[in-house]
Amino acid sequence: MIRPILIHPDPRLKKPCEAVGEITPEIRALAADMLETMYDAPGVGLAAPQVGVTKRVVVMDCIKDGPPEPIVMVDPQVVWASEDVTTYEEGCLSIPDQYAEVKRPASVRVAWTDLDGLRQERDFTGLWATCAQHEIDHLDGKLFIDYLGPLKRQMITRKMEKLKRERARQG
Ligand code: K1U
Ligand code: ZN
């Protein structure tokens, strides 16, 4: 099922999410819905708070051409980050049509629980590394615009408020 994606500003996007712990049928259904929602958008990642669920669940697939490579991460943690940084022009499905350069570690090692309840660990580079950090930030109530200066952040927030008013009017 495709779930509606919340648009910034929304208090649910600013709230730190709670740990999941045990993998239940509800978490498996949430992950399946999140993957469907991400591919439909389309996006390369999605975090549970973006669909209004404040739990620590993330999905990603940064393969643009070729067979899909979906990853579901429950309770993900960055356990190592490289000293070298990279700049990527990020977007966000909760901040449509707005992009800005964000500097982050170029490589990260992430540990998480998979849907079989097994602990996983993997190194990510390139877009996968940027996306993993962007999604884990969502779980801590942080958006990519929080890395920008106050004027740019305010300008984007005002555009999103206007977009939400227009969408509400259209029904
Ligand atoms: O979390 C999100 O809002 C998803 C976001 C993830 C992301 C994008 C870019 C850098 C870091 C994290 C998106 O997927 S925005 C859409 C997007 O980047 C994209 C869409 C279609 C094809 C390729 C990329
Ligand atoms: Zn995002």
Side-chain angles (χ1 to χ4, degrees):
M1 182 181 73
I2 293 167
R3 302 195 188 196
I5 296 175
L6 300 181
I7 303 299
H8 164 73
D10 186 297
R12 289 166 288 182
L13 292 171
K14 297 307 297 172
K15 212 176 144 193
C17 296
E18 60 186 64
V20 170
E22 193 194 343
I23 306 296
T24 60
E26 186 204 359
I27 292 298
R28 288 198 184 93
L30 170 66
D33 286 355
M34 285 173 61
L35 280 171
E36 200 180 337
T37 305
M38 178 190 78
Y39 287 123
D40 176 72
V44 292
L46 192 70
Q50 294 181 275
V51 293
V53 179
T54 50
K55 290 192 174 150
R56 300 187 78 84
V57 181
V58 154
V59 297
M60 297 197 300
D61 186 349
C62 295
I63 302 291
K64 287 175 189 162
D65 303 306
E69 232 181 81
I71 295 185
V72 176
M73 293 178 167
V74 175
D75 295 336
Q77 280 176 300
V78 175
V79 294
W80 170 83
S82 63
E83 273 175 29
D84 57 315
V85 292
T86 187
T87 303
Y88 194 91
E89 188 166 58
E90 296 192 17
C92 181
L93 298 174
S94 295
I95 309 176
D97 302 321
Q98 303 300 316
Y99 301 90
E101 288 193 340
V102 177
K103 233 184 243 177
R104 299 183 188 268
S107 312
V108 286
R109 182 170 302 140
V110 181
W112 73 92
T113 304
D114 69 17
L115 289 181
D116 295 318
L118 299 172
R119 207 65 188 157
Q120 302 286 345
E121 199 170 278
R122 187 169 143 182
D123 288 353
F124 293 100
T125 55
L127 178 57
W128 284 97
T130 297
C131 188
Q133 294 171 79
H134 176 115
E135 300 310 332
I136 292 170
D137 271 355
H138 271 299
L139 304 182
D140 296 324
K142 193 163 183 176
L143 302 172
F144 82 89
I145 56 169
D146 294 326
Y147 292 95
L148 311 180
L151 283 181
K152 201 154 187 204
R153 187 165 61 239
Q154 198 175 62
M155 192 186 74
I156 291 176
T157 298
R158 290 205 175 125
K159 280 187 187 167
M160 292 302 103
E161 285 167 341
K162 186 164 175 253
L163 175 73
K164 285 173 79 168
R165 278 197 302 275
E166 283 164 3
R167 285 191 180 179
R169 233 183 299 122
Q170 284 159 5

